[in-house]
Amino acid sequence: MPPTSRANPWIFFGRLWLGIAYAFMFLPLVVLILFSFQKNRFPGFPLQGFTLQWYDKLFSDGALLNALGNTMIVSPAAATIATGIAFFAAYAFNRFTFRGKTTFLALLTLPILIPPLILGVGFLGLLARIHLSGTLFAVFLTHVVLITAPALAIIQLRLAQMPASLEEAAWDLGATEWQTVVKVVLPFAMPGIFGAWLLAFTFSFDEFIIAWFVSGFQPTLPVAIYSVLVAAIDPSLNAIGTIVFGISCLVLIGLELVLLPLLVGKSEKQS
């Protein structure tokens, strides 16, 4: 008979440790949501009644919501473009051998090795010279440069697992190189592409230092939150944090509803 949790204490301690880890991760979010409905301006326990005034202030002021809107414009677009560039670059590195390949790969990964403060100053000087500083397009361009490297790393790891015989078989069956990329390489790399997009979106959504230098009067959400924190303690930050957390949960649920039937359908076809 397999050992039970009573017979094997390590199972019990493992589950206990897992519960503590999850509590450590999610307890701050629970506290954030509770404080967003508290009457007292200064958060603390015990809670001082229930109110929606911080949400009302958030929607009436509009500064943080506008910043959230800017972020929701920049981050998905930057993640999509960066992931597309990363896929074609990863395919070229995996498929072809050419002079300067190592140097070119090092140049693509260089932005994640340079301190963000130095990158922010450099981008500010460059974009100011071409009259793009202080625009959302400037934030978009800088985010694409910053998040292409981690997306490239994930997609390249996925493509490295693809046998070369798959492409050769497609060519033998009469497929062109472009048809092979679309119908063979792309479906095989899709899990890596999806993971790379999520990672790139997360990096872009949270990025602060470079956006602080180049955003100007169109700040993203991290820049706007920093501006509010510098001025005073505002419980509206708890409200916007709760809204962002709710959006994240809805996106995750939506992805599960979309992807789970596809994965189940594939496994049933294979069986």
Side-chain angles (χ1 to χ4, degrees), residues 111-131:
I112 62 176
L113 302 177
I114 300 176
L117 184 64
I118 305 302
L119 274 179
V121 174
F123 279 129
L124 179 62
L126 173 64
L127 295 171
R129 288 181 177 273
I130 59 178
H131 307 290

Side-chain angles (χ1 to χ4, degrees), residues 93 100-114 149 152 156:
F93 287 132
K101 177 179 178 180
T102 304
T103 303
F104 190 62
L105 180 60
L107 289 175
L108 282 178
T109 57
L110 190 61
I112 62 176
L113 302 177
I114 300 176
L152 172 64
Q156 195 169 12

